[in-house]
Amino acid sequence: MNSVLEEKTKKLFGIEKPFAITMWEFSWIERRWPGAGYEDWDKALDELTARGYDAVRIDAFPHLMDADPYREWTLNPEWTLQVWGSQSVNRIRLYDDFCNFLKACRRHGVRVALSTWFRQDTEKTSMNIRTPDDHARIWIKTLDYIKEWGELDNIFYVDFCNEWPLSAWAPFFTSQYGDQKVCSESSVAWMKAVIAEFKKHYPTIPVTFSFCHSVRGTDDDISFLDFVEQHTWMTTGSDFYQKVGYTFDRFSDVGYTNMALKGEELYRQSKEHYDRCLVEEIHRVAEWAKKWGKPVVSTECWSVVDYKDWPLLNWDWIFDLNELGVRTATETGCYAGMATSNFCGPQFVGMWRRKDWHHKMTDVIHNGKMI
């Protein structure tokens, strides 16, 4: 007999089995120069479904959709080292491209989860968000456009802010309240207010705020979320980055140099330890969500946070960790959907080309139980 949580999960997402999802964030629109991976959406989506994936999580740019979806926006680079999005200044127009991308996803049978990294344009438009009502309004207006295009029924869920409340992605919040823990009083009050206002307009769309903190020792109340979008890696709560010397440098290659020289070697020397770090964190997430009766989705996950095709950066150990993560998360029965990594896109050639591996992993996900 199906459990109450399983029935709630199936009804929430309209699914009969766990789904395989990947993160195409802001790359879907920014990386459209020749060879960047998304210049031909039909080709990229063909390759995605050929690997067994059901959905993509993308940046909907709600602050720019609200301000003016027709104008050309100039975006500052978020980094020069990572290959998500643009590594230099870029320009986008949203109205037609967003509509056309959603229609391409429908043609390929791919559902779309909406999130946002609040990409910084030259006018810092995201800083106009001063209240939770502002935050809700920009999302309501974005979904109004999607409804106008006839694409609302293909929207999987809305994540109001990537990895809330990090200053990198929610500067409008931290500029007012400073750095906060996920479930601090001010953070929770903001999240609840956004959800309440949004649900007045779109009550049936599943909603959440995604997180990336370690849940070790936490008993935070997440009852107000429809589900948990938790990002979990081997590096979450472990000493791996500290020992490697990786500090998330965005405009310096020091971190990648250290990763190239030390990362794989450290992992292989202490494989049992770091595998255990990943497994234990996944189980903590599952128990946390289970306590509050919430399904889990993870679209950024399992190995290391940052990686790419780069000298001395081999993919074999990354594949091994990702497989461990997929199998462990699936076995908990708490995951309604998950990614195989946060590198599952055409710009990560070393990850993308292993079609057989993706098929194996998406089969594991689809055959997983839900408790």
Side-chain angles (χ1 to χ4, degrees):
M1 181 177 293
N2 293 342
S3 69
V4 173
L5 179 57
E6 181 179 359
E7 290 304 317
K8 283 170 57 179
T9 300
K10 289 180 176 181
K11 184 177 180 180
L12 181 67
F13 294 111
I15 58 174
E16 289 299 319
K17 60 184 180 181
F19 57 87
I21 187 169
T22 189
M23 179 187 73
W24 280 5
E25 23 63 43
F26 33 93
S27 291
W28 72 269
I29 190 170
E30 291 186 34
R31 295 188 63 87
R32 306 207 69 202
W33 65 88
Y38 301 85
E39 59 270 38
D40 183 337
W41 289 327
D42 284 307
K43 180 176 183 292
L45 288 164
D46 267 339
E47 292 174 351
L48 184 74
T49 56
R51 286 157 176 75
Y53 293 91
D54 311 299
V56 291
R57 172 175 171 248
I58 66 166
D59 196 329
F61 299 86
H63 55 309
L64 305 184
M65 289 292 292
D66 172 67
D68 187 348
Y70 299 99
R71 66 167 284 184
E72 183 176 71
W73 294 97
T74 301
L75 303 179
N76 294 320
E78 187 64 43
W79 37 53
T80 55
L81 271 295
Q82 312 300 353
V83 294
W84 293 291
S86 306
Q87 292 114 317
S88 62
V89 65
N90 205 341
R91 293 193 178 103
I92 62 171
R93 290 184 186 271
L94 280 162
Y95 188 89
D96 288 340
D97 277 353
F98 194 7
C99 176
N100 290 334
F101 182 79
L102 292 180
K103 291 184 182 302
C105 287
R106 181 184 292 277
R107 285 197 303 273
H108 290 268
V110 173
R111 297 188 69 182
V112 181
L114 302 179
S115 183
T116 185
W117 286 250
F118 285 106
R119 288 283 284 113
Q120 290 301 308
D121 62 289
T122 52
E123 298 171 28
K124 298 184 178 180
T125 302
S126 71
M127 300 308 290
N128 294 331
I129 301 169
R130 303 298 300 172
T131 67
D133 280 351
D134 291 337
H135 194 165
R137 184 199 70 247
I138 64 173
W139 273 109
I140 292 164
K141 192 166 182 180
T142 298
L143 265 71
D144 287 346
Y145 283 115
I146 295 171
K147 184 178 181 181
E148 174 188 306
W149 300 332
E151 296 299 327
L152 191 62
D153 64 328
N154 201 39
I155 299 304
F156 222 160
Y157 65 79
V158 170
D159 164 24
F160 290 113
C161 182
N162 177 64
E163 296 177 349
W164 179 265
L166 295 184
S167 58
W169 314 126
F172 54 88
F173 177 82
T174 57
S175 67
Q176 297 182 70
Y177 297 96
D179 291 335
Q180 297 282 321
K181 293 186 180 298
V182 165
C183 284
S184 68
E185 184 177 350
S186 55
S187 172
V188 169
W190 185 288
M191 288 190 284
K192 285 182 174 180
V194 172
I195 291 170
E197 182 60 25
F198 179 86
K199 287 285 190 177
K200 292 177 185 176
H201 299 262
Y202 290 100
T204 63
I205 299 288
V207 298
T208 197
F209 284 75
S210 59
F211 307 136
C212 67
H213 64 303
S214 173
V215 301
R216 183 189 299 272
T218 189
D219 194 30
D220 293 332
D221 182 354
I222 48 173
S223 59
F224 54 92
L225 301 174
D226 285 336
F227 65 100
V228 184
E229 227 275 47
Q230 187 71 25
H231 302 163
T232 302
W233 299 271
M234 173 273 285
T235 57
T236 306
S238 81
D239 61 359
F240 183 82
Y241 277 152
Q242 182 181 358
K243 287 191 172 182
V244 167
Y246 191 88
T247 55
F248 298 97
D249 301 295
R250 296 186 299 156
F251 300 97
S252 164
D253 66 359
V254 171
Y256 266 108
T257 296
N258 289 339
M259 177 67 80
L261 294 175
K262 304 174 187 177
E264 182 177 4
E265 181 182 8
L266 174 63
Y267 170 70
R268 294 201 182 282
Q269 286 175 347
S270 304
K271 183 179 186 300
E272 183 178 345
H273 166 70
Y274 288 115
D275 284 354
R276 187 169 62 251
C277 288
L278 173 60
V279 170
E280 290 177 352
E281 186 68 18
I282 290 171
H283 283 290
R284 283 191 288 266
V285 170
E287 290 303 313
W288 180 44
K290 194 187 303 182
K291 174 179 178 177
W292 296 101
K294 303 295 178 181
V296 184
V297 174
S298 189
T299 63
E300 301 187 47
C301 44
W302 312 144
S303 54
V304 294
V305 180
D306 298 333
Y307 213 70
K308 61 179 178 177
D309 300 296
W310 197 253
L312 304 183
L313 293 184
N314 300 314
W315 285 97
D316 290 351
W317 67 290
I318 301 297
F319 280 114
D320 291 346
L321 272 165
N322 289 336
E323 180 165 350
L324 175 63
V326 167
R327 293 188 182 280
T328 303
T330 298
E331 288 167 2
T332 69
C334 294
Y335 283 75
M338 70 184 80
T340 57
S341 76
N342 40 308
F343 313 117
C344 183
Q347 74 269 45
F348 296 97
V349 177
M351 172 61 70
W352 196 242
R353 66 188 175 191
R354 285 279 303 277
K355 184 177 177 181
D356 59 334
W357 182 87
H358 290 279
H359 258 302
K360 183 172 71 171
M361 291 299 95
T362 53
D363 282 349
V364 170
I365 294 169
H366 292 147
N367 290 323
K369 63 181 179 178
M370 293 188 293
I371 62 172

PDB file of all heavy atoms in Angstrom, residues 116-133:
ATOM      1  N   THR A 116      15.825  31.017  -9.683  1.00  0.00           N
ATOM      2  CA  THR A 116      16.561  32.207 -10.087  1.00  0.00           C
ATOM      3  C   THR A 116      17.796  32.389  -9.232  1.00  0.00           C
ATOM      4  O   THR A 116      17.785  32.110  -8.036  1.00  0.00           O
ATOM      5  CB  THR A 116      15.700  33.483 -10.035  1.00  0.00           C
ATOM      6  OG1 THR A 116      16.459  34.578 -10.543  1.00  0.00           O
ATOM      7  CG2 THR A 116      15.235  33.788  -8.616  1.00  0.00           C
ATOM      8  N   TRP A 117      18.832  32.843  -9.882  1.00  0.00           N
ATOM      9  CA  TRP A 117      20.093  33.196  -9.233  1.00  0.00           C
ATOM     10  C   TRP A 117      20.205  34.720  -9.121  1.00  0.00           C
ATOM     11  O   TRP A 117      21.234  35.218  -8.719  1.00  0.00           O
ATOM     12  CB  TRP A 117      21.264  32.637 -10.032  1.00  0.00           C
ATOM     13  CG  TRP A 117      21.454  31.152  -9.913  1.00  0.00           C
ATOM     14  CD1 TRP A 117      22.478  30.510  -9.263  1.00  0.00           C
ATOM     15  CD2 TRP A 117      20.622  30.110 -10.437  1.00  0.00           C
ATOM     16  NE1 TRP A 117      22.328  29.155  -9.359  1.00  0.00           N
ATOM     17  CE2 TRP A 117      21.192  28.868 -10.071  1.00  0.00           C
ATOM     18  CE3 TRP A 117      19.429  30.100 -11.180  1.00  0.00           C
ATOM     19  CZ2 TRP A 117      20.630  27.642 -10.423  1.00  0.00           C
ATOM     20  CZ3 TRP A 117      18.864  28.877 -11.523  1.00  0.00           C
ATOM     21  CH2 TRP A 117      19.457  27.682 -11.149  1.00  0.00           C
ATOM     22  N   PHE A 118      19.151  35.416  -9.463  1.00  0.00           N
ATOM     23  CA  PHE A 118      19.109  36.881  -9.455  1.00  0.00           C
ATOM     24  C   PHE A 118      20.363  37.465 -10.087  1.00  0.00           C
ATOM     25  O   PHE A 118      21.087  38.254  -9.484  1.00  0.00           O
ATOM     26  CB  PHE A 118      18.881  37.419  -8.032  1.00  0.00           C
ATOM     27  CG  PHE A 118      17.464  37.243  -7.577  1.00  0.00           C
ATOM     28  CD1 PHE A 118      17.126  36.270  -6.647  1.00  0.00           C
ATOM     29  CD2 PHE A 118      16.468  38.034  -8.096  1.00  0.00           C
ATOM     30  CE1 PHE A 118      15.804  36.098  -6.243  1.00  0.00           C
ATOM     31  CE2 PHE A 118      15.135  37.872  -7.701  1.00  0.00           C
ATOM     32  CZ  PHE A 118      14.808  36.905  -6.767  1.00  0.00           C
ATOM     33  N   ARG A 119      20.574  37.066 -11.331  1.00  0.00           N
ATOM     34  CA  ARG A 119      21.735  37.546 -12.083  1.00  0.00           C
ATOM     35  C   ARG A 119      21.784  39.064 -12.082  1.00  0.00           C
ATOM     36  O   ARG A 119      20.774  39.740 -12.276  1.00  0.00           O
ATOM     37  CB  ARG A 119      21.683  37.007 -13.509  1.00  0.00           C
ATOM     38  CG  ARG A 119      21.972  35.512 -13.606  1.00  0.00           C
ATOM     39  CD  ARG A 119      23.460  35.220 -13.469  1.00  0.00           C
ATOM     40  NE  ARG A 119      24.152  35.568 -14.701  1.00  0.00           N
ATOM     41  CZ  ARG A 119      25.044  36.551 -14.832  1.00  0.00           C
ATOM     42  NH1 ARG A 119      25.356  37.326 -13.806  1.00  0.00           N
ATOM     43  NH2 ARG A 119      25.630  36.781 -15.992  1.00  0.00           N
ATOM     44  N   GLN A 120      22.991  39.585 -11.865  1.00  0.00           N
ATOM     45  CA  GLN A 120      23.162  41.027 -11.745  1.00  0.00           C
ATOM     46  C   GLN A 120      23.344  41.679 -13.107  1.00  0.00           C
ATOM     47  O   GLN A 120      24.309  41.400 -13.817  1.00  0.00           O
ATOM     48  CB  GLN A 120      24.352  41.348 -10.841  1.00  0.00           C
ATOM     49  CG  GLN A 120      24.103  41.027  -9.378  1.00  0.00           C
ATOM     50  CD  GLN A 120      22.918  41.792  -8.805  1.00  0.00           C
ATOM     51  OE1 GLN A 120      22.837  43.011  -8.925  1.00  0.00           O
ATOM     52  NE2 GLN A 120      21.995  41.068  -8.183  1.00  0.00           N
ATOM     53  N   ASP A 121      22.396  42.529 -13.473  1.00  0.00           N
ATOM     54  CA  ASP A 121      22.547  43.337 -14.669  1.00  0.00           C
ATOM     55  C   ASP A 121      23.287  44.616 -14.296  1.00  0.00           C
ATOM     56  O   ASP A 121      23.555  44.883 -13.107  1.00  0.00           O
ATOM     57  CB  ASP A 121      21.174  43.668 -15.270  1.00  0.00           C
ATOM     58  CG  ASP A 121      20.320  44.486 -14.329  1.00  0.00           C
ATOM     59  OD1 ASP A 121      19.848  43.931 -13.304  1.00  0.00           O
ATOM     60  OD2 ASP A 121      20.151  45.681 -14.571  1.00  0.00           O
ATOM     61  N   THR A 122      23.625  45.416 -15.278  1.00  0.00           N
ATOM     62  CA  THR A 122      24.423  46.621 -15.025  1.00  0.00           C
ATOM     63  C   THR A 122      23.687  47.637 -14.171  1.00  0.00           C
ATOM     64  O   THR A 122      24.312  48.512 -13.568  1.00  0.00           O
ATOM     65  CB  THR A 122      24.841  47.271 -16.353  1.00  0.00           C
ATOM     66  OG1 THR A 122      23.678  47.462 -17.174  1.00  0.00           O
ATOM     67  CG2 THR A 122      25.844  46.389 -17.094  1.00  0.00           C
ATOM     68  N   GLU A 123      22.360  47.535 -14.077  1.00  0.00           N
ATOM     69  CA  GLU A 123      21.579  48.469 -13.255  1.00  0.00           C
ATOM     70  C   GLU A 123      21.221  47.897 -11.890  1.00  0.00           C
ATOM     71  O   GLU A 123      20.507  48.540 -11.110  1.00  0.00           O
ATOM     72  CB  GLU A 123      20.309  48.867 -14.020  1.00  0.00           C
ATOM     73  CG  GLU A 123      20.603  49.587 -15.332  1.00  0.00           C
ATOM     74  CD  GLU A 123      19.356  49.791 -16.175  1.00  0.00           C
ATOM     75  OE1 GLU A 123      18.247  49.889 -15.597  1.00  0.00           O
ATOM     76  OE2 GLU A 123      19.482  49.852 -17.403  1.00  0.00           O
ATOM     77  N   LYS A 124      21.674  46.677 -11.607  1.00  0.00           N
ATOM     78  CA  LYS A 124      21.420  46.021 -10.321  1.00  0.00           C
ATOM     79  C   LYS A 124      19.932  45.997  -9.991  1.00  0.00           C
ATOM     80  O   LYS A 124      19.491  46.345  -8.895  1.00  0.00           O
ATOM     81  CB  LYS A 124      22.221  46.686  -9.197  1.00  0.00           C
ATOM     82  CG  LYS A 124      23.724  46.589  -9.397  1.00  0.00           C
ATOM     83  CD  LYS A 124      24.497  47.161  -8.216  1.00  0.00           C
ATOM     84  CE  LYS A 124      26.002  46.999  -8.424  1.00  0.00           C
ATOM     85  NZ  LYS A 124      26.778  47.549  -7.294  1.00  0.00           N
ATOM     86  N   THR A 125      19.158  45.529 -10.944  1.00  0.00           N
ATOM     87  CA  THR A 125      17.700  45.546 -10.821  1.00  0.00           C
ATOM     88  C   THR A 125      17.206  44.734  -9.637  1.00  0.00           C
ATOM     89  O   THR A 125      16.184  45.082  -9.026  1.00  0.00           O
ATOM     90  CB  THR A 125      17.070  45.023 -12.136  1.00  0.00           C
ATOM     91  OG1 THR A 125      17.526  45.856 -13.213  1.00  0.00           O
ATOM     92  CG2 THR A 125      15.558  45.053 -12.074  1.00  0.00           C
ATOM     93  N   SER A 126      17.895  43.654  -9.289  1.00  0.00           N
ATOM     94  CA  SER A 126      17.429  42.830  -8.169  1.00  0.00           C
ATOM     95  C   SER A 126      17.383  43.593  -6.859  1.00  0.00           C
ATOM     96  O   SER A 126      16.618  43.235  -5.952  1.00  0.00           O
ATOM     97  CB  SER A 126      18.305  41.586  -8.010  1.00  0.00           C
ATOM     98  OG  SER A 126      19.584  41.924  -7.508  1.00  0.00           O
ATOM     99  N   MET A 127      18.174  44.644  -6.748  1.00  0.00           N
ATOM    100  CA  MET A 127      18.204  45.406  -5.497  1.00  0.00           C
ATOM    101  C   MET A 127      16.937  46.238  -5.302  1.00  0.00           C
ATOM    102  O   MET A 127      16.747  46.848  -4.236  1.00  0.00           O
ATOM    103  CB  MET A 127      19.449  46.290  -5.450  1.00  0.00           C
ATOM    104  CG  MET A 127      20.762  45.519  -5.524  1.00  0.00           C
ATOM    105  SD  MET A 127      20.890  44.166  -4.315  1.00  0.00           S
ATOM    106  CE  MET A 127      21.036  45.107  -2.790  1.00  0.00           C
ATOM    107  N   ASN A 128      16.064  46.256  -6.298  1.00  0.00           N
ATOM    108  CA  ASN A 128      14.765  46.921  -6.134  1.00  0.00           C
ATOM    109  C   ASN A 128      13.802  46.089  -5.293  1.00  0.00           C
ATOM    110  O   ASN A 128      12.721  46.559  -4.937  1.00  0.00           O
ATOM    111  CB  ASN A 128      14.130  47.203  -7.496  1.00  0.00           C
ATOM    112  CG  ASN A 128      14.916  48.221  -8.307  1.00  0.00           C
ATOM    113  OD1 ASN A 128      15.576  49.099  -7.745  1.00  0.00           O
ATOM    114  ND2 ASN A 128      14.864  48.105  -9.630  1.00  0.00           N
ATOM    115  N   ILE A 129      14.173  44.853  -5.013  1.00  0.00           N
ATOM    116  CA  ILE A 129      13.356  44.000  -4.142  1.00  0.00           C
ATOM    117  C   ILE A 129      13.624  44.423  -2.698  1.00  0.00           C
ATOM    118  O   ILE A 129      14.720  44.218  -2.179  1.00  0.00           O
ATOM    119  CB  ILE A 129      13.710  42.515  -4.344  1.00  0.00           C
ATOM    120  CG1 ILE A 129      13.491  42.106  -5.797  1.00  0.00           C
ATOM    121  CG2 ILE A 129      12.886  41.629  -3.405  1.00  0.00           C
ATOM    122  CD1 ILE A 129      14.048  40.742  -6.143  1.00  0.00           C
ATOM    123  N   ARG A 130      12.621  45.000  -2.077  1.00  0.00           N
ATOM    124  CA  ARG A 130      12.802  45.506  -0.710  1.00  0.00           C
ATOM    125  C   ARG A 130      11.971  44.733   0.317  1.00  0.00           C
ATOM    126  O   ARG A 130      12.251  44.775   1.502  1.00  0.00           O
ATOM    127  CB  ARG A 130      12.411  46.994  -0.642  1.00  0.00           C
ATOM    128  CG  ARG A 130      13.165  47.891  -1.596  1.00  0.00           C
ATOM    129  CD  ARG A 130      14.660  47.892  -1.322  1.00  0.00           C
ATOM    130  NE  ARG A 130      14.976  48.362   0.019  1.00  0.00           N
ATOM    131  CZ  ARG A 130      16.190  48.313   0.573  1.00  0.00           C
ATOM    132  NH1 ARG A 130      17.197  47.776  -0.120  1.00  0.00           N
ATOM    133  NH2 ARG A 130      16.407  48.775   1.787  1.00  0.00           N
ATOM    134  N   THR A 131      10.945  44.054  -0.145  1.00  0.00           N
ATOM    135  CA  THR A 131      10.028  43.374   0.769  1.00  0.00           C
ATOM    136  C   THR A 131       9.668  41.996   0.208  1.00  0.00           C
ATOM    137  O   THR A 131       9.837  41.730  -0.984  1.00  0.00           O
ATOM    138  CB  THR A 131       8.721  44.167   0.933  1.00  0.00           C
ATOM    139  OG1 THR A 131       8.009  44.149  -0.322  1.00  0.00           O
ATOM    140  CG2 THR A 131       9.001  45.621   1.340  1.00  0.00           C
ATOM    141  N   PRO A 132       9.127  41.121   1.058  1.00  0.00           N
ATOM    142  CA  PRO A 132       8.631  39.838   0.548  1.00  0.00           C
ATOM    143  C   PRO A 132       7.545  40.008  -0.513  1.00  0.00           C
ATOM    144  O   PRO A 132       7.469  39.208  -1.447  1.00  0.00           O
ATOM    145  CB  PRO A 132       8.082  39.161   1.803  1.00  0.00           C
ATOM    146  CG  PRO A 132       8.847  39.755   2.928  1.00  0.00           C
ATOM    147  CD  PRO A 132       9.083  41.185   2.544  1.00  0.00           C
ATOM    148  N   ASP A 133       6.719  41.041  -0.393  1.00  0.00           N
ATOM    149  CA  ASP A 133       5.699  41.283  -1.414  1.00  0.00           C
ATOM    150  C   ASP A 133       6.336  41.584  -2.771  1.00  0.00           C
ATOM    151  O   ASP A 133       5.832  41.155  -3.815  1.00  0.00           O
ATOM    152  CB  ASP A 133       4.779  42.434  -0.994  1.00  0.00           C
ATOM    153  CG  ASP A 133       3.706  41.990  -0.006  1.00  0.00           C
ATOM    154  OD1 ASP A 133       3.565  40.777   0.226  1.00  0.00           O
ATOM    155  OD2 ASP A 133       3.003  42.872   0.530  1.00  0.00           O
TER     156      ASP A 133
END
